[in-house]
Amino acid sequence: MRGLLLKDIYNLRKVGKQYLLIFLFFVCYCFLLKNPSFFAMMAIMSTSMMILTSLGYDEAAGFDKYALTLPVEREDLVKVKYLLLLLLLGAGALIGLAGNVLINLFMKGEGMSAAEQMVSVGAVVSVFLIVYATMLPLVFKLGVERARMLLTICYIAVFVAVFLVFKLLVAAGLEGSITDERMIALAVGAAVAAVLYLLASYFVSVRIIRKREW
């Protein structure tokens, strides 16, 4: 499986320079908005989208058919994509957090506390983890291009759910009483829920790949 992961990483290096330009644009945009937290969200969104790029490369080259002639199990084709997704989200979180800190320093504003920044980044990672945990079984079932059309629906559904949770907190009068400790507890709870959802998604994808015919 290590070879499969390295193959994906080497393929994604082709678009690396494009993403450097994208990150530079986001930095400039944050200065215009005077809102450094925007950078973390866009960095995580951009890196997580590379999972679809990787899947698209494999589909265009018919790699899965070739992989089955190698000493590779079908489950490995699923496992490596989920591992790649976690690595991409981790990279996006680190880039986003570092960008937040640096932009805050250059703007010389009050900025967010360290706890707020960690919670903000963790919340964004959890959201995109849920989005792509929803997408991956669809990709293995329908293919990249057909599943890509459903990505917008996944985004809307997840962000509507987040918005509704926030509205419930406001309606309950709890938004003003959320301390750093409660924010961290909420972030941990969201992360645990996202990981459990990812595990469920993984087993669904494994079941799909076992029945799939090429």
Side-chain angles (χ1 to χ4, degrees):
M1 195 180 74
R2 180 183 177 186
L4 294 175
L5 181 61
L6 288 174
K7 179 267 299 178
D8 287 336
I9 293 173
Y10 290 146
N11 278 338
L12 292 177
R13 286 171 59 184
K14 300 175 184 177
V15 295
K17 292 181 180 179
Q18 299 175 25
Y19 278 86
L20 287 176
L21 293 175
I22 291 171
F23 291 146
L24 180 60
F25 169 77
F26 289 151
V27 169
C28 296
Y29 198 58
C30 285
F31 278 104
L32 289 174
L33 291 178
K34 296 182 179 180
N35 181 13
S37 61
F38 175 81
F39 178 79
M41 182 182 73
M42 299 309 296
I44 294 167
M45 183 183 75
S46 298
T47 55
S48 63
M49 287 181 69
M50 293 173 75
I51 189 66
L52 294 181
T53 303
S54 172
L55 287 159
Y57 282 147
D58 286 355
E59 187 175 284
F63 177 77
D64 289 346
K65 295 179 183 178
Y66 169 73
L68 293 178
T69 67
L70 303 173
V72 171
E73 299 292 335
R74 289 190 176 212
E75 289 81 357
D76 291 335
L77 299 177
V78 174
K79 193 181 299 181
V80 72
K81 296 305 180 186
Y82 279 82
L83 178 57
L84 180 63
L85 174 62
L86 292 175
L87 291 175
L88 290 171
L89 285 169
L94 290 175
I95 294 170
L97 192 58
N100 270 9
V101 172
L102 292 174
I103 294 170
N104 265 314
L105 288 175
F106 280 105
M107 288 178 62
K108 297 180 180 179
E110 294 182 3
M112 297 186 293
S113 67
E116 288 175 329
Q117 291 194 40
M118 293 292 291
V119 168
S120 175
V121 170
V124 174
V125 168
S126 297
V127 168
F128 284 106
L129 188 63
I130 291 172
V131 168
Y132 286 99
T134 303
M135 281 294 298
L136 284 174
L138 295 174
V139 170
F140 288 116
K141 180 70 175 179
L142 305 174
V144 177
E145 293 307 317
R146 291 172 64 187
R148 197 189 296 270
M149 297 172 62
L150 301 174
L151 180 59
T152 302
I153 297 175
C154 290
Y155 273 127
I156 293 173
V158 172
F159 282 105
V160 166
V162 172
F163 175 77
L164 290 176
V165 170
F166 178 75
K167 293 296 288 185
L168 287 173
L169 289 174
V170 172
L174 299 175
E175 80 284 359
S177 61
I178 298 180
T179 61
D180 283 353
E181 290 76 14
R182 289 181 179 178
M183 287 174 62
I184 292 172
L186 286 171
V188 171
V192 170
V195 169
L196 291 175
Y197 186 78
L198 182 71
L199 286 173
S201 169
Y202 168 76
F203 288 117
V204 171
S205 293
V206 167
R207 186 172 180 180
I208 290 170
I209 207 74
R210 284 175 178 167
K211 297 180 179 180
R212 183 174 174 182
E213 296 181 2
W214 281 274

